[in-house]
Amino acid sequence: MGFTVAQGLMLLLLIASTMAVSKANRGCKFENQPFHHPNNTRTSNRIIVGDSYHWNFGFNYTDWAIKHGPFYLNDTLVFKYDPPSPNTFPHSVYLLPNHRSFTKCNLRKATMVGNVTQGGGEGFEFELKRPRQRYYFACGERNGFHCVNGTMKFFVKPIFR
């Protein structure tokens, strides 16, 4: 019997999921010592979103959040981005109200937490104050295009230490 289109799509989805999980677990050690994640400290952390890449178009922040989790209560996310200029695209930081808004990049009920100028210099800081609440972040510039293309958005769910 041959493959149907639906079976082919399911196989493709299974392969993509397996690759994503294996990529997220890269660097994990399964020897006699426990795995220590870089964010596994006893104090609050100051975490630069995107590491040295900062908050810029073309970087996948969902992957970044998966690799840098878990995030803990009272950790501070630092969003660094260039202020508007003729040579750069402006960026901002919006907090979206729920998963549906996040997946659709619907900014209508979102709250701007960092405007286009706040990311310069030391960056804009956002403290994760509510345990077990999901924080959905996205860039709202260009009518949400930076979010819609799937890269300038991510969510975190802080937990207790």
Side-chain angles (χ1 to χ4, degrees):
M1 293 187 176
F3 271 113
T4 65
V5 173
Q7 290 171 327
L9 289 174
M10 288 300 291
L11 180 61
L12 181 63
L13 179 64
L14 177 65
I15 291 169
S17 298
T18 303
M19 289 175 64
V21 169
S22 67
K23 187 176 179 184
N25 288 330
R26 190 172 23 137
C28 186
K29 296 179 180 167
F30 295 102
E31 296 148 10
N32 290 335
Q33 49 187 303
F35 172 65
H36 294 285
H37 196 276
N39 192 14
N40 192 13
T41 62
R42 298 207 184 273
T43 61
S44 298
N45 293 307
R46 188 175 184 269
I47 304 159
I48 297 174
V49 175
D51 298 321
S52 63
Y53 197 74
H54 299 162
W55 184 241
N56 284 298
F57 184 73
F59 185 82
N60 191 323
Y61 293 93
T62 300
D63 283 348
W64 173 86
I66 291 168
K67 292 174 187 171
H68 284 75
F71 294 88
Y72 295 100
L73 185 64
N74 298 320
D75 280 353
T76 299
L77 300 179
V78 181
F79 293 85
K80 291 186 175 188
Y81 45 95
D82 294 328
S85 76
N87 302 328
T88 62
F89 290 115
H91 299 296
S92 58
V93 182
Y94 278 80
L95 187 61
L96 291 99
N98 53 47
H99 189 262
R100 183 179 177 102
S101 296
F102 175 76
T103 56
K104 295 185 177 283
C105 292
N106 182 346
L107 300 169
R108 277 183 263 148
K109 293 183 180 178
T111 303
M112 180 187 287
V113 293
N115 66 34
V116 295
T117 61
Q118 287 178 290
E122 292 300 307
F124 163 73
E125 296 186 355
F126 186 92
E127 186 176 348
L128 304 173
K129 296 180 181 180
R130 295 187 179 144
R132 298 190 188 112
Q133 173 188 328
R134 287 191 174 111
Y135 291 88
Y136 299 97
F137 297 99
C139 178
E141 297 308 302
R142 300 206 166 233
N143 294 323
F145 174 75
H146 294 171
C147 176
V148 171
N149 86 345
T151 59
M152 286 195 80
K153 66 179 184 176
F154 70 98
F155 75 91
V156 297
K157 184 178 177 182
I159 58 174
F160 291 107
R161 282 189 198 282

